[in-house]
Amino acid sequence: MPDQSPRIIDADTVETFQREGVVLLKGIFKSWMAPLTQGIDELIAHPSQYGLARTVTPTDGSAPFFQDYCNWSRIQSFKDFVYCSPAAEVAAQLMGSNTARFFHEHTLVKYPGNSTITPWHHDQPYYCVEGRQNVSLWIPLDPVDHTISLRCIRGSHLWKDEFSPTRFNGTKLYEHKNFKEIPDIDAHIEDYDIVSWSMEPGDAIAFSFRTVHGASGNHSMQPRRVFSARWVGDDAQFADRGGITSPPFPELTLKQGDPLISPLFPQIWPNKEVA
Ligand SMILES: O=C(O)CCC(=O)C(=O)O
């Protein structure tokens, strides 16, 4: 089993995450690269119904953008990562939460030459969860140049507006009167404090569900394989969006405002709950 020892996140890093909604964690999951790579190979060979529906095949003939999520309970190395890696404890520290509950994982593979742009968006309106204590850990399994890495807008997790969730192919996930259209960020790029990092396997970007982010296509010669692990904290509540969220979690029977407690979202920190 790879390294399971606890990680203490220093106060500056926690403070940066809280203030900017995004922070780079260097080398934190190095020993988990081999199992996660094996898990992604297994997933690509046996995608779920979501993977088959969400994978984007560009019309320009370039290579696909494979996506799939909510596979951690059937892919053993994903499950090992959730239960045994330091990720839950790291997430709890960044969120300033006593607990860390696993929300889901999302695998995103842009094959070499893939032209699909991940549009600017933030994740919370896609999800059936409200609350401020949450974090995604975006973990590339290949070296990623900053030009194809995740791009995040610093401080956008504190914006008041929430933006209408739109599928990566441009169609609306569902309609909601409280959500606005995301501004044309690329047209006013100088108005935003955008950060992106060149990364090595083992590094992770931690970002809030409310942080606005996006990514270019993959113009490099190697795949850009990413495992994004999403966590929620003490204040997480079920949100009924009045439409089908992404992921959909059709088995959930929670009501608006209920604490997000379900075997679908095991509490991993501090007490491991077996799913
Ligand atoms: O990897 C990408 O292109 C986008 C990642 C993303 O949107 C996410 O992890 O929430």
Side-chain angles (χ1 to χ4, degrees), residues 65 67 106 108-110 116-119 121-123 127 136-138 148-150 168 207 213-216 224 226-230:
F65 174 18
Q67 293 190 78
H106 188 158
L108 308 109
V109 178
K110 289 188 175 177
T116 313
I117 292 168
T118 305
H121 68 286
H122 59 181
D123 290 335
Y127 298 159
S136 285
L137 300 172
W138 192 86
I148 59 164
S149 189
L150 194 71
F168 290 178
F207 65 101
H213 59 281
S216 71
R224 195 219 65 172
V226 168
F227 183 81
S228 211
R230 317 202 190 277

Side-chain angles (χ1 to χ4, degrees), residues 95-144:
M95 296 186 293
S97 173
N98 292 322
T99 60
R101 212 168 258 288
F102 191 58
F103 187 42
H104 67 280
E105 95 297 337
H106 188 158
T107 298
L108 308 109
V109 178
K110 289 188 175 177
Y111 287 101
N114 166 261
S115 63
T116 313
I117 292 168
T118 305
W120 292 109
H121 68 286
H122 59 181
D123 290 335
Q124 192 135 17
Y126 291 74
Y127 298 159
C128 59
V129 62
E130 279 297 349
R132 293 278 172 167
Q133 289 170 308
N134 54 58
V135 63
S136 285
L137 300 172
W138 192 86
I139 306 168
L141 306 177
D142 303 286
V144 208

Side-chain angles (χ1 to χ4, degrees), residues 51-70:
L52 296 170
R54 293 184 58 91
T55 292
V56 181
T57 305
T59 51
D60 62 6
S62 70
F65 174 18
F66 171 87
Q67 293 190 78
D68 204 344
Y69 50 32
C70 303

Side-chain angles (χ1 to χ4, degrees), residues 122-127 129-130 160-166 172-182 210 239-243 245:
H122 59 181
D123 290 335
Q124 192 135 17
Y126 291 74
Y127 298 159
V129 62
E130 279 297 349
K160 289 212 171 51
D161 290 339
E162 288 191 289
F163 304 114
S164 180
T166 306
K172 290 274 173 227
L173 193 57
Y174 59 85
E175 297 296 337
H176 194 296
K177 62 179 175 18
N178 294 344
F179 295 153
K180 301 202 164 146
E181 291 309 312
I182 193 143
R210 294 180 68 94
D240 182 347
R241 304 289 187 196
T245 56

Side-chain angles (χ1 to χ4, degrees), residues 198-268:
S198 295
M199 296 171 72
E200 293 299 323
D203 299 347
I205 293 176
F207 65 101
S208 156
F209 291 180
R210 294 180 68 94
T211 299
V212 174
H213 59 281
S216 71
N218 179 8
H219 55 70
S220 83
M221 305 287 277
Q222 47 188 345
R224 195 219 65 172
R225 292 171 295 180
V226 168
F227 183 81
S228 211
R230 317 202 190 277
W231 302 85
V232 294
D234 302 337
D235 74 351
Q237 294 182 342
F238 177 73
D240 182 347
R241 304 289 187 196
I244 297 175
T245 56
S246 176
F249 299 116
E251 318 85 323
L252 262 188
T253 52
L254 298 175
K255 303 267 178 321
Q256 179 75 24
D258 283 351
L260 197 79
I261 296 177
S262 157
L264 290 175
F265 313 122
Q267 182 182 307
I268 309 293

